[in-house]
Structure formats: C-alpha cells, structure tokens
Amino acid sequence: MRLVLASNNAKKLAELKALFDALPLDIVTQGSLGVAEAEEPHHTFIENALAKARHAAQAIGGAAIADDSGLCVDALGGLPGVASAHFASVELPAAEREVQRSVQDAANNALLLQRLQGATDRRAKFVSTLVALRSADDPEPLVAVGRWQGEIIEAPRGAGGFGYDPLMFIPALASSVAELDAATKNAHSHRALAAAQMVALMRSAWHLG
C-alpha cells in the first residue's frame, strides 16, 4: 500500500520508514509526487496534522499520513509548540532546503536558550501527533500521540538528529537526543511512541500487516 507522507523532510521520511517497516507500506513524500505543502494555520498539533494529511490525500487521491510535532517547554507555557520549526525569525539564504533548515534550526536553538536564560524549570517534552487517512473524505482518521519527556540543557550536545535535538537532554538515557544513535532514538522518541500506536491502529482498523 502506498502511503504519502505530508512532508518534504528527508530525515522525517527516513525515521518513519524505519518505524513502519513492520507493515507492507511504501511511504513516499508528497514532494516527490509534485504536491505542495499545506497551510498550517492552527494552534494545536492534531488540527495541523489533520489538515496536512487531508491536503495530501486530496492531492494524490489516496492514503496519506502527516506528523505535526514540536517541542513544548513548561516554563514557556508550552511554547514553541506548533511554531517549533519557525520559532525564530530569520532571513534564510538562497540555498537548497536542507541548508535553509540547518540555518533555521540554529536560530531556533539560540532563541530557545535566550528565552530560558536564568530559568530553573527546564522541563520539556517532544510531542508527535500522527494522523493517517485512507482518503481525503475518510470519516475515521487514525490518530496517535507520543510524548518524550526531557529537559533543556544550557549548551548544544551531539551532532546527530535535527531541530532541537542538541538541546533536549533525556535523563533516562543520560544523553541529549543528538548524541543518540538512530536505533536508540527510534526506540524511544516521541515519534517512535506515536508510530507504535499508529502501527497497532493500522493493523486493527485498516487490516494491514
């Protein structure tokens, strides 16, 4: 079964392919099919994920999955939340998408550290909300949510991952997310937790696997 990922993020595609490898799915990005990204005007992960999944499903006339995820920091009232990817206002260079993403990530991390300067409560969580649809008109969207608890450290650690991974420290693993190898991250992450729920839902509701 082909499942279109409502994203053009190559790293997110690689993560989801690994997490869904137990199911007979061919996951491809919407960009590879010429589908433009959807608007994300909502204030919650679930609303944005549903909007993205429906947009992709409508465009390709088939099944789609969307992940809306981000970092929620307790001391900031849940921010950056749905604005995680564009937390900082930054002028991006005229370069390929991954270079732009790297510049944005660095700016986001710098702003987060600035906003938390002097804060004693540095608790945070990565949240991933997955929504899957068989079609744009599917009345029964599958919804799965994963939360990965940690805390924001005062300086980046590690060279792996993307986004806020270098600043998110997981006490149970004694490492920042950026210091984890791919296998460990895929076993413990917010996206892994949501994906495990989604695999179970697809098996029961879509009769896959």
Side-chain angles (χ1 to χ4, degrees):
M1 176 181 180
R2 187 179 72 172
L3 186 65
V4 174
L5 173 63
S7 171
N8 295 321
N9 187 325
K11 292 182 178 179
K12 185 178 288 188
L13 174 66
E15 279 190 13
L16 286 177
K17 278 190 170 183
L19 293 168
F20 283 87
D21 66 352
L23 295 179
L25 292 172
D26 177 24
I27 305 177
V28 299
T29 63
Q30 61 184 9
S32 69
L33 301 176
V35 179
E37 293 190 352
E39 294 294 323
E40 301 177 46
H42 305 292
H43 298 292
T44 65
F45 294 121
I46 189 169
E47 288 174 296
N48 282 331
L50 181 57
K52 290 189 288 186
R54 186 171 284 139
H55 170 81
Q58 181 71 52
I60 57 95
I65 188 168
D67 164 56
D68 203 53
S69 56
L71 178 71
C72 295
V73 180
D74 288 11
L76 301 181
L79 294 177
V82 297
S84 292
H86 303 285
F87 188 38
S89 296
V90 59
E91 186 172 337
L92 296 175
E96 59 133 9
R97 188 176 184 85
E98 288 304 311
V99 173
Q100 292 182 334
R101 195 181 301 277
S102 179
V103 171
Q104 182 72 63
D105 285 351
N108 290 342
N109 283 316
L111 178 58
L112 178 61
L113 290 177
Q114 178 186 330
R115 294 284 298 272
L116 285 177
Q117 191 169 9
T120 55
D121 181 2
R122 303 181 77 89
R123 292 172 298 174
K125 66 179 76 72
F126 276 138
V127 179
S128 171
T129 299
L130 289 172
V131 173
L133 299 168
R134 291 166 291 190
S135 68
D137 298 324
D138 191 342
E140 187 191 6
L142 304 183
V143 180
V145 181
R147 295 178 176 85
W148 199 12
Q149 302 285 343
E151 57 191 45
I152 304 302
I153 50 181
E154 296 184 354
R157 284 175 47 174
F162 57 94
Y164 299 95
D165 288 357
L167 293 179
M168 183 63 156
F169 184 78
I170 308 299
L173 300 175
S175 296
S176 76
V177 175
E179 292 175 307
L180 301 175
D181 60 76
T184 303
K185 180 179 180 181
N186 283 347
H188 296 275
S189 76
H190 53 309
R191 197 164 288 119
L193 295 170
Q197 294 175 31
M198 184 59 75
V199 167
L201 287 170
M202 286 181 168
R203 281 178 167 151
S204 62
W206 290 8
H207 311 296
L208 294 180

